Amino acid sequence: MAAEIAEQPAVWDALLAATGPDGGSGVDRAAALVRARRPRFVLFAARGSSSHAALYAKYLTEIRLGVPVGTVSPSTVTAYAARPDLRDVVLVAVSQSGGSPDLRRCVEVAGSQGALTIAVTNDAGSPLAGAADAHVDVLAGPERSVAATKTYTAQLLALYLLITAVPGDDPAPARALPGLGAEVLAGADAVTELATRYRFAQRMVTTGRGYSYPTAREAALKLMETAYVSAQSFSGADLLHGPLALVDALVPVLAVVSPGAGGAAMAPVLDALAARHADVLQIGGDGPGITLPAAPAEEFGPLLEILPLQLLAREMAVARSIDPDAPRGLHKITETL
C-alpha cells in the first residue's frame, strides 16, 4: 500500500502522456462518441472506491457539461430484471478490475436498451471493457494492495480528462498535478504523527462538500478497511441535519475543505463543530491541519486531498499492529451479482 501510494504522481504523469489523438488511454475516442450522441442524461455504475470516483464525475458532469446525472442501482437490472428505456443516455461503468459481473450486466442491458456505454477500468482486457462501446484505460499498472489507492486517483484523473474532452477543453492545467502530488507526499512525516494521535480512536466522522464530498467518503472507506475504524461519512450539509448529534470531543472529525465554492460552503459546518468542541482535523483550506498546495482549479482538489488520508489510514493500521496489505475478510476483486 505504501509503495502504491507513492507511485501516484508517476501514474498521473503516464495517463496524461497517453491522452490525446495518438494516446492509448482511449479518452479521445470515448469523448468523440459522447459528443456525437449529445446525451440528455448520464448514468454512472460503480461499487466501492469506484463509486466515489463516479460521485466526483457526477459533480464534474453536471457543473462542466450541464447534463443531469444519476447513479445506477445494479440490482434493479440483475435481481429485478428491469429494462429501462435508455435512449439518448450515456452509461459509464467505473471499476478498477472490470471483473464484477453485476457491472458487466448493467453495461450489457444498457447497450441493449439504447445507451452508449463506456467502461473506465485498469484492465483493457477485462469483461467490463469488452462489454462496453468504448473503454478508457486508467493505466495505473498492477495494483497488489487490497485497498485501492493509485487506481482510485487514476480513475479521478481519467474521468476528468474524459468529461472535459467532450467540449474540447484544454487539458493543460492538469499537467501540474504530478508535481503537486509529489509535493503533498513529501509531507508524509506529519501524517505519521497524526496516526499516533488517533491510534486509539474507535469512531471517526469524515465530511466535505462539493468536489470534496467524494474524498470524505473515500477516506472513511480507507479507514474502515485498513485500520478497522468505524468511520462514517456525511456531506457537510447532511451532517448538520441530525448526525451532528453523534459528534463530541471523543469522536475525531476529518473535515475536507477544498478551495472554492465547496470549501466556502463548509464554513457553517466548521463553526458547528467548534461549538461542540469537536476534535477536528482539517484537510486543505486555511485552518489548522494538513495544508495542501494550491491547485489550478477546484476540481483537481480530490486528487490531492485523498493522498494524506490514504497515508493516515495506512499509518493508523500500522500503529494498531494491523497489516494494511491484508485486511481481514477482503479480497482484491469483489465479484457482486
Side-chain angles (χ1 to χ4, degrees):
M1 184 176 179
E4 289 168 357
I5 290 172
E7 287 177 29
Q8 289 174 101
V11 168
W12 305 347
D13 195 44
L15 179 55
L16 287 163
T19 298
D22 300 319
S25 68
V27 165
D28 278 40
R29 177 176 180 271
L33 291 174
V34 175
R35 271 196 306 275
R37 180 62 62 102
R38 297 176 61 88
R40 60 180 173 85
F41 202 81
V42 175
L43 287 171
F44 285 95
R47 298 273 193 200
S49 288
S50 297
S51 70
H52 305 150
L55 179 58
Y56 164 77
K58 179 183 189 299
Y59 278 95
L60 194 62
T61 301
E62 292 185 343
I63 293 168
R64 294 290 291 265
L65 301 184
V67 178
V69 175
T71 55
V72 173
S73 299
S75 62
T76 62
V77 169
T78 59
Y80 294 94
R83 297 295 182 268
D85 182 355
L86 297 178
R87 289 171 292 179
D88 301 322
V89 172
V90 170
L91 182 138
V92 182
V94 188
S95 169
Q96 279 120 27
S97 69
S100 187
D102 59 347
L103 294 183
R104 183 182 73 247
R105 187 59 181 152
C106 282
V107 165
E108 292 170 346
V109 170
S112 71
Q113 295 300 107
L116 169 67
T117 58
I118 299 171
V120 179
T121 82
N122 193 39
D123 184 355
S126 65
L128 187 63
D133 296 316
H135 176 247
V136 173
D137 195 334
V138 305
L139 298 171
E143 187 174 57
R144 292 165 47 201
S145 172
V146 173
T149 54
K150 65 177 183 176
T151 51
Y152 173 69
T153 57
Q155 285 175 332
L156 294 178
L157 181 55
L159 288 163
Y160 169 83
L161 293 170
L162 170 62
I163 293 163
T164 57
V166 172
D169 292 347
D170 187 355
R175 295 186 186 121
L177 285 169
L180 294 172
E183 185 178 339
V184 174
L185 292 174
D189 289 347
V191 176
T192 302
E193 294 178 11
L194 289 168
T196 302
R197 170 180 165 185
Y198 294 127
R199 177 181 179 183
F200 297 107
Q202 296 303 308
R203 294 185 296 150
M204 298 183 83
V205 168
T206 66
T207 185
R209 291 202 68 178
Y211 288 116
S212 294
Y213 178 40
T215 305
R217 290 177 62 108
E218 176 64 9
L221 177 58
K222 287 293 161 283
L223 288 164
M224 287 187 283
E225 67 183 348
T226 59
Y228 308 159
V229 175
S230 179
Q232 293 178 278
S233 179
F234 304 96
S235 79
D238 287 336
L239 184 62
L240 297 180
H241 282 268
L244 184 66
L246 65 81
V247 176
D248 58 33
L250 298 178
V251 180
V253 179
L254 306 180
V256 189
V257 182
S258 65
M266 282 293 290
V269 181
L270 297 173
D271 290 343
L273 291 168
R276 296 188 64 83
H277 306 289
D279 178 353
V280 178
L281 174 66
Q282 188 170 314
I283 297 90
D286 299 325
I290 298 174
T291 58
L292 299 172
E298 182 178 356
E299 55 256 41
F300 294 135
L303 282 95
L304 305 178
E305 296 159 352
I306 194 59
L307 299 180
L309 293 167
Q310 292 171 343
L311 289 167
L312 180 62
R314 182 197 176 275
E315 293 300 323
M316 283 181 63
V318 172
R320 292 167 176 240
S321 300
I322 298 167
D323 182 356
D325 293 332
R328 61 193 180 201
L330 298 180
H331 304 280
K332 184 59 189 170
I333 299 175
T334 302
E335 295 188 356
T336 47
L337 301 174

